[in-house]
Amino acid sequence: MKHWKSILSALKPRSSSQKAGMFLTCVSLAIWLIFIMAMWSGSDRIAALLLLPVWLVTITAVAPALLAWLWAREWLAFGTVILWTLTAIMVSDVFQGIGRIGLDQDPARIANERLTWKIISIDCRNGSSVPAEILQPIHPDVIFLQNLQHIDQAQTLAVDLFGVNPSIRTNGNNAIIVRHGQLAQAWPIIGNGSFIVDWSPDRTVVPVRLVNVNLTPGPENRNLFSADCWKAHAETRATHRKEIDSLLEALKNMGRRAGEIPVICAGAFYSPPQSPVFDPFLHVMTDAYGSSGVGYGATCPSDFPILRLHRIGFTSPLRSVHSSTLYIPGLAAYAVMADIKPL
C-alpha cells in the first residue's frame, strides 16, 4: 500500500509547470484512446483520417506529451510519447519497408531466384499513355492496367512490349497483359471494370487466377473540417465494403478451384491498407509490400508520395520476394511492382 502511495505522490503535480505538463499529457493520452477505439470499431471516420499520413497524425497527437516532457520533465509524458511511437509503427507499414532496405532485399539474391514473375499494376488515371520504353528494362510478366483513357492503349502497349498477338484481356477501361502463357475468358465482377481471368503461364502446371481491381475513387474533397467531406468519405467506405465483399464472393463462387489455385490481385483500391474496410480482404490475401516491400511504398500523389492507395496481393503457395513502386511521367500515381515466386 505504501508503495502505491509513493507512486501516486510522485505523479501528483507539485508546481504550475508540472500541472500544465500533466494536462498536456492527458490531452495526448485522450487522443490516443479515441484513435485506438475508433480503429478497433472500424469507424468510417478513422478510415478517412487514415487518408492522411500516419506520421503526420502521430506528430500532431504526440506534440502535447512531447512538450510536457521537454518542459516539465513528466515521466508519464515520456511514456505517452513512446506509446504513440509504437502505435504508429504498428499501424503504418512504412517502417517495415524502410527497415528492409539493405537487408534481405539484395538485388543479386532476387536475380538468383530460380523463377520469379515481375508483376506491375498501373493506374492510368489522368494520363494519356504508358510509355513502353519505361517498362522494357523491367521485363514485366503481367501488367494490370486501370482507368485507361482508351482501351486501344492497352493493345498498343502490349504490341510495343511483347510483339504481335500478345495475350490481353480487357473489361471497360481496364486490362491485363501477359508476356507468356495464355489467358482464359475474362469474368467481370464489381463495378468500374474490375474482372477475373485465369492465366496459364509457361513452366508451371497449375494456372494462376488474376484479379484486376478498380474500386470506386474516393472524394476529391479532403477538407476534414467539412461535414460534407466526412459524409462523402463515409459513403465511399460503405461502397468499398460492398465492392470488397462482391470481389471475395466472386472468387468463392468460381468453384472449389478458387481455393486451390493461387490468386494474384492487383489494382487501384483508393484507400490505405490500414483502413478497417479491407480487413476481410487481408484475411484472404497477403499484401506484397507488407511482406517484402522496400522504401515508403506510397503511390499517390506522385509529386509527393504519402499515400499507398494501389497495391498487389497474393495467396499461398505464392510468395513475394521484393516489392516497390515505379514513377511513370504523366500519371497521377506511382505504379506498384512485385517479384512473385510461383509454385
Side-chain angles (χ1 to χ4, degrees):
M1 191 67 178
K2 292 181 178 179
H3 179 68
W4 286 106
K5 286 182 178 180
S6 61
I7 294 177
L8 293 175
S9 61
L11 292 176
K12 185 178 180 180
R14 295 185 175 85
S15 64
S16 58
S17 63
Q18 287 180 322
K19 291 180 180 179
M22 185 63 71
F23 173 76
L24 293 173
T25 303
C26 290
V27 169
S28 185
L29 280 173
I31 297 174
W32 177 83
L33 184 62
I34 294 172
F35 184 84
I36 294 299
M37 290 179 63
M39 284 196 62
W40 187 265
S41 63
S43 167
D44 281 319
R45 295 200 171 194
I46 203 64
L49 183 64
L50 286 171
L51 288 172
L52 296 172
V54 175
W55 55 263
L56 178 60
V57 176
T58 303
I59 291 174
T60 303
V62 81
L66 184 61
L67 181 61
W69 163 247
L70 296 175
W71 178 34
R73 293 298 177 182
E74 284 288 340
W75 283 102
L76 183 60
F78 180 74
T80 303
V81 172
I82 298 299
L83 188 64
W84 266 111
T85 302
L86 294 176
T87 302
I89 292 174
M90 288 187 294
V91 171
S92 173
D93 55 4
V94 169
F95 298 94
Q96 304 175 32
I98 296 175
R100 294 191 189 98
I101 295 178
L103 297 178
D104 61 338
Q105 298 302 322
D106 180 12
R109 184 186 66 82
I110 297 171
N112 289 332
E113 291 281 355
R114 183 183 177 193
L115 173 63
T116 59
W117 295 325
K118 176 73 72 174
I119 312 297
I120 183 168
S121 178
I122 306 173
D123 186 355
C124 302
R125 183 181 299 273
N126 301 330
S128 56
S129 62
V130 179
E133 57 270 18
I134 292 181
L135 301 184
Q136 284 172 346
I138 299 172
H139 302 292
D141 294 284
V142 183
I143 304 173
F144 293 81
L145 298 170
Q146 305 91 37
N147 301 308
L148 292 160
Q149 298 297 318
H150 305 286
I151 201 61
D152 293 341
Q153 293 176 348
Q155 184 71 27
T156 302
L157 177 63
V159 171
D160 291 342
L161 285 175
F162 308 139
V164 295
N165 300 322
S167 294
I168 180 173
R169 291 292 181 270
T170 62
N171 183 43
N173 288 333
N174 307 283
I176 293 178
I177 307 170
V178 297
R179 174 185 293 274
H180 52 81
Q182 298 296 322
L183 291 173
Q185 178 184 354
W187 296 88
I189 43 175
I190 55 181
N192 299 317
S194 299
F195 67 98
I196 301 174
V197 61
D198 284 350
W199 172 42
S200 299
D202 295 342
R203 295 185 289 175
T204 60
V205 177
V206 180
V208 179
R209 186 149 292 162
L210 305 178
V211 185
N212 196 348
V213 178
N214 189 21
L215 301 187
T216 300
E220 295 294 332
N221 179 15
R222 293 186 179 176
N223 179 12
L224 298 181
F225 296 98
S226 168
D228 292 337
C229 172
W230 286 111
K231 181 179 179 181
H233 280 299
E235 292 174 350
T236 303
R237 298 288 81 73
T239 301
H240 284 173
R241 283 191 179 94
K242 295 178 181 178
E243 291 175 335
I244 290 295
D245 289 343
S246 298
L247 188 157
L248 297 177
E249 188 67 21
L251 286 173
K252 181 180 179 181
N253 291 338
M254 292 185 74
R256 180 67 184 90
R257 293 182 62 199
E260 294 176 348
I261 71 173
V263 178
I264 297 177
C265 182
F269 289 80
Y270 297 116
S271 190
Q274 305 97 320
S275 172
V277 172
F278 298 105
D279 284 346
F281 178 82
L282 294 176
H283 288 160
V284 177
M285 301 281 177
T286 300
D287 181 43
Y289 180 81
S291 62
S292 62
V294 296
Y296 288 94
T299 63
C300 183
S302 58
D303 56 347
F304 181 56
I306 55 176
L307 301 175
R308 192 162 75 88
L309 308 185
H310 309 76
R311 49 195 176 273
I312 297 172
F314 60 91
T315 61
S316 61
L318 302 177
R319 67 182 180 89
S320 175
V321 297
H322 183 268
S323 181
S324 59
T325 58
L326 174 69
Y327 172 68
I328 299 179
L331 301 187
Y334 277 55
V336 185
M337 300 188 299
D339 290 292
I340 304 293
K341 185 167 180 60
L343 309 178

PDB file of all heavy atoms in Angstrom, residues 158-187:
ATOM      1  N   ALA A 158       0.861  -3.477 -75.363  1.00  0.00           N
ATOM      2  CA  ALA A 158       1.178  -4.909 -75.436  1.00  0.00           C
ATOM      3  C   ALA A 158       2.012  -5.232 -76.669  1.00  0.00           C
ATOM      4  O   ALA A 158       2.981  -5.997 -76.589  1.00  0.00           O
ATOM      5  CB  ALA A 158      -0.114  -5.720 -75.438  1.00  0.00           C
ATOM      6  N   VAL A 159       1.668  -4.633 -77.795  1.00  0.00           N
ATOM      7  CA  VAL A 159       2.426  -4.887 -79.035  1.00  0.00           C
ATOM      8  C   VAL A 159       3.835  -4.312 -78.918  1.00  0.00           C
ATOM      9  O   VAL A 159       4.818  -4.943 -79.329  1.00  0.00           O
ATOM     10  CB  VAL A 159       1.683  -4.295 -80.243  1.00  0.00           C
ATOM     11  CG1 VAL A 159       2.557  -4.355 -81.495  1.00  0.00           C
ATOM     12  CG2 VAL A 159       0.372  -5.037 -80.476  1.00  0.00           C
ATOM     13  N   ASP A 160       3.940  -3.103 -78.343  1.00  0.00           N
ATOM     14  CA  ASP A 160       5.262  -2.479 -78.210  1.00  0.00           C
ATOM     15  C   ASP A 160       6.176  -3.288 -77.287  1.00  0.00           C
ATOM     16  O   ASP A 160       7.396  -3.340 -77.499  1.00  0.00           O
ATOM     17  CB  ASP A 160       5.113  -1.058 -77.660  1.00  0.00           C
ATOM     18  CG  ASP A 160       4.465  -0.121 -78.664  1.00  0.00           C
ATOM     19  OD1 ASP A 160       4.437  -0.457 -79.862  1.00  0.00           O
ATOM     20  OD2 ASP A 160       3.974   0.951 -78.244  1.00  0.00           O
ATOM     21  N   LEU A 161       5.600  -3.927 -76.275  1.00  0.00           N
ATOM     22  CA  LEU A 161       6.409  -4.668 -75.314  1.00  0.00           C
ATOM     23  C   LEU A 161       6.664  -6.106 -75.740  1.00  0.00           C
ATOM     24  O   LEU A 161       7.779  -6.615 -75.624  1.00  0.00           O
ATOM     25  CB  LEU A 161       5.719  -4.664 -73.945  1.00  0.00           C
ATOM     26  CG  LEU A 161       5.773  -3.374 -73.136  1.00  0.00           C
ATOM     27  CD1 LEU A 161       4.948  -3.517 -71.871  1.00  0.00           C
ATOM     28  CD2 LEU A 161       7.207  -3.011 -72.770  1.00  0.00           C
ATOM     29  N   PHE A 162       5.622  -6.765 -76.215  1.00  0.00           N
ATOM     30  CA  PHE A 162       5.705  -8.210 -76.419  1.00  0.00           C
ATOM     31  C   PHE A 162       5.563  -8.652 -77.872  1.00  0.00           C
ATOM     32  O   PHE A 162       5.554  -9.847 -78.149  1.00  0.00           O
ATOM     33  CB  PHE A 162       4.640  -8.918 -75.572  1.00  0.00           C
ATOM     34  CG  PHE A 162       4.664  -8.533 -74.122  1.00  0.00           C
ATOM     35  CD1 PHE A 162       3.497  -8.324 -73.419  1.00  0.00           C
ATOM     36  CD2 PHE A 162       5.872  -8.383 -73.452  1.00  0.00           C
ATOM     37  CE1 PHE A 162       3.518  -7.975 -72.087  1.00  0.00           C
ATOM     38  CE2 PHE A 162       5.905  -8.024 -72.109  1.00  0.00           C
ATOM     39  CZ  PHE A 162       4.720  -7.823 -71.429  1.00  0.00           C
ATOM     40  N   GLY A 163       5.430  -7.711 -78.796  1.00  0.00           N
ATOM     41  CA  GLY A 163       5.323  -8.084 -80.203  1.00  0.00           C
ATOM     42  C   GLY A 163       3.895  -8.391 -80.614  1.00  0.00           C
ATOM     43  O   GLY A 163       2.929  -8.072 -79.912  1.00  0.00           O
ATOM     44  N   VAL A 164       3.748  -9.020 -81.799  1.00  0.00           N
ATOM     45  CA  VAL A 164       2.423  -9.280 -82.368  1.00  0.00           C
ATOM     46  C   VAL A 164       1.693 -10.345 -81.566  1.00  0.00           C
ATOM     47  O   VAL A 164       2.301 -11.173 -80.888  1.00  0.00           O
ATOM     48  CB  VAL A 164       2.548  -9.723 -83.843  1.00  0.00           C
ATOM     49  CG1 VAL A 164       3.116  -8.598 -84.680  1.00  0.00           C
ATOM     50  CG2 VAL A 164       3.402 -10.972 -83.965  1.00  0.00           C
ATOM     51  N   ASN A 165       0.360 -10.286 -81.637  1.00  0.00           N
ATOM     52  CA  ASN A 165      -0.525 -11.267 -81.000  1.00  0.00           C
ATOM     53  C   ASN A 165      -0.245 -11.460 -79.507  1.00  0.00           C
ATOM     54  O   ASN A 165      -0.040 -12.583 -79.028  1.00  0.00           O
ATOM     55  CB  ASN A 165      -0.422 -12.619 -81.715  1.00  0.00           C
ATOM     56  CG  ASN A 165      -0.823 -12.523 -83.179  1.00  0.00           C
ATOM     57  OD1 ASN A 165      -1.752 -11.800 -83.531  1.00  0.00           O
ATOM     58  ND2 ASN A 165      -0.119 -13.256 -84.032  1.00  0.00           N
ATOM     59  N   PRO A 166      -0.225 -10.388 -78.741  1.00  0.00           N
ATOM     60  CA  PRO A 166       0.002 -10.539 -77.292  1.00  0.00           C
ATOM     61  C   PRO A 166      -1.248 -11.097 -76.621  1.00  0.00           C
ATOM     62  O   PRO A 166      -2.365 -10.985 -77.135  1.00  0.00           O
ATOM     63  CB  PRO A 166       0.283  -9.104 -76.840  1.00  0.00           C
ATOM     64  CG  PRO A 166      -0.479  -8.255 -77.809  1.00  0.00           C
ATOM     65  CD  PRO A 166      -0.426  -8.985 -79.131  1.00  0.00           C
ATOM     66  N   SER A 167      -1.064 -11.698 -75.445  1.00  0.00           N
ATOM     67  CA  SER A 167      -2.195 -12.188 -74.663  1.00  0.00           C
ATOM     68  C   SER A 167      -2.719 -11.037 -73.812  1.00  0.00           C
ATOM     69  O   SER A 167      -2.008 -10.512 -72.956  1.00  0.00           O
ATOM     70  CB  SER A 167      -1.755 -13.354 -73.761  1.00  0.00           C
ATOM     71  OG  SER A 167      -1.382 -14.470 -74.536  1.00  0.00           O
ATOM     72  N   ILE A 168      -3.960 -10.657 -74.060  1.00  0.00           N
ATOM     73  CA  ILE A 168      -4.531  -9.498 -73.388  1.00  0.00           C
ATOM     74  C   ILE A 168      -6.023  -9.720 -73.172  1.00  0.00           C
ATOM     75  O   ILE A 168      -6.698 -10.309 -74.023  1.00  0.00           O
ATOM     76  CB  ILE A 168      -4.287  -8.205 -74.213  1.00  0.00           C
ATOM     77  CG1 ILE A 168      -4.899  -6.987 -73.510  1.00  0.00           C
ATOM     78  CG2 ILE A 168      -4.800  -8.342 -75.625  1.00  0.00           C
ATOM     79  CD1 ILE A 168      -4.551  -5.679 -74.182  1.00  0.00           C
ATOM     80  N   ARG A 169      -6.520  -9.279 -72.015  1.00  0.00           N
ATOM     81  CA  ARG A 169      -7.954  -9.311 -71.724  1.00  0.00           C
ATOM     82  C   ARG A 169      -8.348  -7.945 -71.180  1.00  0.00           C
ATOM     83  O   ARG A 169      -7.593  -7.324 -70.416  1.00  0.00           O
ATOM     84  CB  ARG A 169      -8.292 -10.406 -70.715  1.00  0.00           C
ATOM     85  CG  ARG A 169      -8.135 -11.823 -71.255  1.00  0.00           C
ATOM     86  CD  ARG A 169      -9.172 -12.133 -72.321  1.00  0.00           C
ATOM     87  NE  ARG A 169      -9.027 -13.502 -72.809  1.00  0.00           N
ATOM     88  CZ  ARG A 169      -8.266 -13.849 -73.838  1.00  0.00           C
ATOM     89  NH1 ARG A 169      -7.549 -12.921 -74.470  1.00  0.00           N
ATOM     90  NH2 ARG A 169      -8.197 -15.099 -74.244  1.00  0.00           N
ATOM     91  N   THR A 170      -9.533  -7.494 -71.563  1.00  0.00           N
ATOM     92  CA  THR A 170      -9.990  -6.166 -71.171  1.00  0.00           C
ATOM     93  C   THR A 170     -11.404  -6.224 -70.614  1.00  0.00           C
ATOM     94  O   THR A 170     -12.170  -7.153 -70.900  1.00  0.00           O
ATOM     95  CB  THR A 170      -9.963  -5.198 -72.365  1.00  0.00           C
ATOM     96  OG1 THR A 170     -10.864  -5.671 -73.384  1.00  0.00           O
ATOM     97  CG2 THR A 170      -8.562  -5.094 -72.953  1.00  0.00           C
ATOM     98  N   ASN A 171     -11.748  -5.231 -69.833  1.00  0.00           N
ATOM     99  CA  ASN A 171     -13.116  -5.042 -69.352  1.00  0.00           C
ATOM    100  C   ASN A 171     -13.279  -3.570 -69.021  1.00  0.00           C
ATOM    101  O   ASN A 171     -12.608  -3.057 -68.126  1.00  0.00           O
ATOM    102  CB  ASN A 171     -13.397  -5.902 -68.122  1.00  0.00           C
ATOM    103  CG  ASN A 171     -14.840  -5.761 -67.664  1.00  0.00           C
ATOM    104  OD1 ASN A 171     -15.759  -5.758 -68.480  1.00  0.00           O
ATOM    105  ND2 ASN A 171     -15.052  -5.632 -66.359  1.00  0.00           N
ATOM    106  N   GLY A 172     -14.144  -2.905 -69.768  1.00  0.00           N
ATOM    107  CA  GLY A 172     -14.261  -1.465 -69.598  1.00  0.00           C
ATOM    108  C   GLY A 172     -12.963  -0.796 -69.995  1.00  0.00           C
ATOM    109  O   GLY A 172     -12.416  -1.058 -71.065  1.00  0.00           O
ATOM    110  N   ASN A 173     -12.451   0.056 -69.121  1.00  0.00           N
ATOM    111  CA  ASN A 173     -11.171   0.727 -69.368  1.00  0.00           C
ATOM    112  C   ASN A 173     -10.036   0.104 -68.567  1.00  0.00           C
ATOM    113  O   ASN A 173      -9.090   0.788 -68.182  1.00  0.00           O
ATOM    114  CB  ASN A 173     -11.285   2.221 -69.040  1.00  0.00           C
ATOM    115  CG  ASN A 173     -12.120   2.962 -70.064  1.00  0.00           C
ATOM    116  OD1 ASN A 173     -12.200   2.561 -71.223  1.00  0.00           O
ATOM    117  ND2 ASN A 173     -12.761   4.032 -69.645  1.00  0.00           N
ATOM    118  N   ASN A 174     -10.136  -1.183 -68.302  1.00  0.00           N
ATOM    119  CA  ASN A 174      -9.120  -1.913 -67.549  1.00  0.00           C
ATOM    120  C   ASN A 174      -8.644  -3.109 -68.370  1.00  0.00           C
ATOM    121  O   ASN A 174      -9.386  -3.654 -69.186  1.00  0.00           O
ATOM    122  CB  ASN A 174      -9.682  -2.392 -66.212  1.00  0.00           C
ATOM    123  CG  ASN A 174     -10.303  -1.256 -65.414  1.00  0.00           C
ATOM    124  OD1 ASN A 174      -9.603  -0.459 -64.821  1.00  0.00           O
ATOM    125  ND2 ASN A 174     -11.627  -1.172 -65.432  1.00  0.00           N
ATOM    126  N   ALA A 175      -7.395  -3.500 -68.148  1.00  0.00           N
ATOM    127  CA  ALA A 175      -6.834  -4.580 -68.960  1.00  0.00           C
ATOM    128  C   ALA A 175      -5.779  -5.346 -68.174  1.00  0.00           C
ATOM    129  O   ALA A 175      -5.198  -4.834 -67.204  1.00  0.00           O
ATOM    130  CB  ALA A 175      -6.222  -4.014 -70.241  1.00  0.00           C
ATOM    131  N   ILE A 176      -5.543  -6.594 -68.597  1.00  0.00           N
ATOM    132  CA  ILE A 176      -4.442  -7.417 -68.103  1.00  0.00           C
ATOM    133  C   ILE A 176      -3.667  -7.917 -69.314  1.00  0.00           C
ATOM    134  O   ILE A 176      -4.249  -8.463 -70.253  1.00  0.00           O
ATOM    135  CB  ILE A 176      -4.942  -8.610 -67.271  1.00  0.00           C
ATOM    136  CG1 ILE A 176      -5.595  -8.127 -65.974  1.00  0.00           C
ATOM    137  CG2 ILE A 176      -3.783  -9.562 -66.948  1.00  0.00           C
ATOM    138  CD1 ILE A 176      -6.161  -9.255 -65.122  1.00  0.00           C
ATOM    139  N   ILE A 177      -2.348  -7.727 -69.285  1.00  0.00           N
ATOM    140  CA  ILE A 177      -1.465  -8.169 -70.367  1.00  0.00           C
ATOM    141  C   ILE A 177      -0.443  -9.129 -69.771  1.00  0.00           C
ATOM    142  O   ILE A 177       0.093  -8.871 -68.689  1.00  0.00           O
ATOM    143  CB  ILE A 177      -0.734  -6.974 -71.014  1.00  0.00           C
ATOM    144  CG1 ILE A 177      -1.723  -5.886 -71.441  1.00  0.00           C
ATOM    145  CG2 ILE A 177       0.104  -7.419 -72.203  1.00  0.00           C
ATOM    146  CD1 ILE A 177      -1.058  -4.584 -71.856  1.00  0.00           C
ATOM    147  N   VAL A 178      -0.166 -10.228 -70.472  1.00  0.00           N
ATOM    148  CA  VAL A 178       0.855 -11.172 -70.001  1.00  0.00           C
ATOM    149  C   VAL A 178       1.909 -11.359 -71.084  1.00  0.00           C
ATOM    150  O   VAL A 178       1.616 -11.312 -72.278  1.00  0.00           O
ATOM    151  CB  VAL A 178       0.236 -12.528 -69.606  1.00  0.00           C
ATOM    152  CG1 VAL A 178      -0.720 -12.365 -68.446  1.00  0.00           C
ATOM    153  CG2 VAL A 178      -0.458 -13.189 -70.788  1.00  0.00           C
ATOM    154  N   ARG A 179       3.155 -11.566 -70.639  1.00  0.00           N
ATOM    155  CA  ARG A 179       4.270 -11.755 -71.556  1.00  0.00           C
ATOM    156  C   ARG A 179       4.245 -13.144 -72.185  1.00  0.00           C
ATOM    157  O   ARG A 179       4.590 -13.311 -73.356  1.00  0.00           O
ATOM    158  CB  ARG A 179       5.598 -11.548 -70.807  1.00  0.00           C
ATOM    159  CG  ARG A 179       6.841 -11.861 -71.640  1.00  0.00           C
ATOM    160  CD  ARG A 179       8.112 -11.751 -70.798  1.00  0.00           C
ATOM    161  NE  ARG A 179       8.368 -10.378 -70.393  1.00  0.00           N
ATOM    162  CZ  ARG A 179       9.025  -9.488 -71.136  1.00  0.00           C
ATOM    163  NH1 ARG A 179       9.486  -9.830 -72.327  1.00  0.00           N
ATOM    164  NH2 ARG A 179       9.234  -8.278 -70.687  1.00  0.00           N
ATOM    165  N   HIS A 180       3.871 -14.146 -71.418  1.00  0.00           N
ATOM    166  CA  HIS A 180       3.917 -15.522 -71.901  1.00  0.00           C
ATOM    167  C   HIS A 180       2.698 -16.269 -71.370  1.00  0.00           C
ATOM    168  O   HIS A 180       2.006 -15.813 -70.451  1.00  0.00           O
ATOM    169  CB  HIS A 180       5.206 -16.218 -71.442  1.00  0.00           C
ATOM    170  CG  HIS A 180       5.442 -16.117 -69.967  1.00  0.00           C
ATOM    171  ND1 HIS A 180       4.834 -16.923 -69.046  1.00  0.00           N
ATOM    172  CD2 HIS A 180       6.219 -15.257 -69.255  1.00  0.00           C
ATOM    173  CE1 HIS A 180       5.215 -16.596 -67.829  1.00  0.00           C
ATOM    174  NE2 HIS A 180       6.062 -15.574 -67.919  1.00  0.00           N
ATOM    175  N   GLY A 181       2.428 -17.443 -71.915  1.00  0.00           N
ATOM    176  CA  GLY A 181       1.282 -18.228 -71.493  1.00  0.00           C
ATOM    177  C   GLY A 181      -0.003 -17.750 -72.143  1.00  0.00           C
ATOM    178  O   GLY A 181       0.001 -16.901 -73.044  1.00  0.00           O
ATOM    179  N   GLN A 182      -1.109 -18.274 -71.664  1.00  0.00           N
ATOM    180  CA  GLN A 182      -2.411 -17.980 -72.241  1.00  0.00           C
ATOM    181  C   GLN A 182      -3.379 -17.474 -71.176  1.00  0.00           C
ATOM    182  O   GLN A 182      -3.311 -17.872 -70.011  1.00  0.00           O
ATOM    183  CB  GLN A 182      -2.998 -19.233 -72.908  1.00  0.00           C
ATOM    184  CG  GLN A 182      -2.159 -19.776 -74.065  1.00  0.00           C
ATOM    185  CD  GLN A 182      -2.072 -18.785 -75.219  1.00  0.00           C
ATOM    186  OE1 GLN A 182      -3.046 -18.103 -75.536  1.00  0.00           O
ATOM    187  NE2 GLN A 182      -0.900 -18.706 -75.843  1.00  0.00           N
ATOM    188  N   LEU A 183      -4.285 -16.601 -71.601  1.00  0.00           N
ATOM    189  CA  LEU A 183      -5.326 -16.076 -70.739  1.00  0.00           C
ATOM    190  C   LEU A 183      -6.668 -16.681 -71.137  1.00  0.00           C
ATOM    191  O   LEU A 183      -6.996 -16.762 -72.325  1.00  0.00           O
ATOM    192  CB  LEU A 183      -5.404 -14.550 -70.841  1.00  0.00           C
ATOM    193  CG  LEU A 183      -4.232 -13.763 -70.255  1.00  0.00           C
ATOM    194  CD1 LEU A 183      -4.371 -12.280 -70.576  1.00  0.00           C
ATOM    195  CD2 LEU A 183      -4.141 -13.965 -68.740  1.00  0.00           C
ATOM    196  N   ALA A 184      -7.447 -17.094 -70.150  1.00  0.00           N
ATOM    197  CA  ALA A 184      -8.771 -17.647 -70.408  1.00  0.00           C
ATOM    198  C   ALA A 184      -9.788 -16.515 -70.555  1.00  0.00           C
ATOM    199  O   ALA A 184      -9.426 -15.340 -70.635  1.00  0.00           O
ATOM    200  CB  ALA A 184      -9.162 -18.597 -69.284  1.00  0.00           C
ATOM    201  N   GLN A 185     -11.044 -16.856 -70.536  1.00  0.00           N
ATOM    202  CA  GLN A 185     -12.105 -15.866 -70.651  1.00  0.00           C
ATOM    203  C   GLN A 185     -12.135 -14.969 -69.412  1.00  0.00           C
ATOM    204  O   GLN A 185     -11.909 -15.423 -68.294  1.00  0.00           O
ATOM    205  CB  GLN A 185     -13.456 -16.570 -70.808  1.00  0.00           C
ATOM    206  CG  GLN A 185     -14.650 -15.623 -70.882  1.00  0.00           C
ATOM    207  CD  GLN A 185     -15.966 -16.372 -70.947  1.00  0.00           C
ATOM    208  OE1 GLN A 185     -15.981 -17.606 -71.040  1.00  0.00           O
ATOM    209  NE2 GLN A 185     -17.063 -15.661 -70.892  1.00  0.00           N
ATOM    210  N   ALA A 186     -12.412 -13.696 -69.620  1.00  0.00           N
ATOM    211  CA  ALA A 186     -12.491 -12.746 -68.520  1.00  0.00           C
ATOM    212  C   ALA A 186     -13.888 -12.773 -67.904  1.00  0.00           C
ATOM    213  O   ALA A 186     -14.892 -12.881 -68.608  1.00  0.00           O
ATOM    214  CB  ALA A 186     -12.162 -11.343 -69.009  1.00  0.00           C
ATOM    215  N   TRP A 187     -13.930 -12.675 -66.559  1.00  0.00           N
ATOM    216  CA  TRP A 187     -15.189 -12.659 -65.821  1.00  0.00           C
ATOM    217  C   TRP A 187     -15.332 -11.322 -65.101  1.00  0.00           C
ATOM    218  O   TRP A 187     -14.627 -11.066 -64.121  1.00  0.00           O
ATOM    219  CB  TRP A 187     -15.229 -13.803 -64.812  1.00  0.00           C
ATOM    220  CG  TRP A 187     -15.201 -15.153 -65.452  1.00  0.00           C
ATOM    221  CD1 TRP A 187     -14.108 -15.878 -65.797  1.00  0.00           C
ATOM    222  CD2 TRP A 187     -16.334 -15.932 -65.822  1.00  0.00           C
ATOM    223  NE1 TRP A 187     -14.470 -17.067 -66.374  1.00  0.00           N
ATOM    224  CE2 TRP A 187     -15.847 -17.136 -66.401  1.00  0.00           C
ATOM    225  CE3 TRP A 187     -17.715 -15.746 -65.734  1.00  0.00           C
ATOM    226  CZ2 TRP A 187     -16.681 -18.133 -66.876  1.00  0.00           C
ATOM    227  CZ3 TRP A 187     -18.547 -16.740 -66.209  1.00  0.00           C
ATOM    228  CH2 TRP A 187     -18.043 -17.910 -66.769  1.00  0.00           C
TER     229      TRP A 187
END
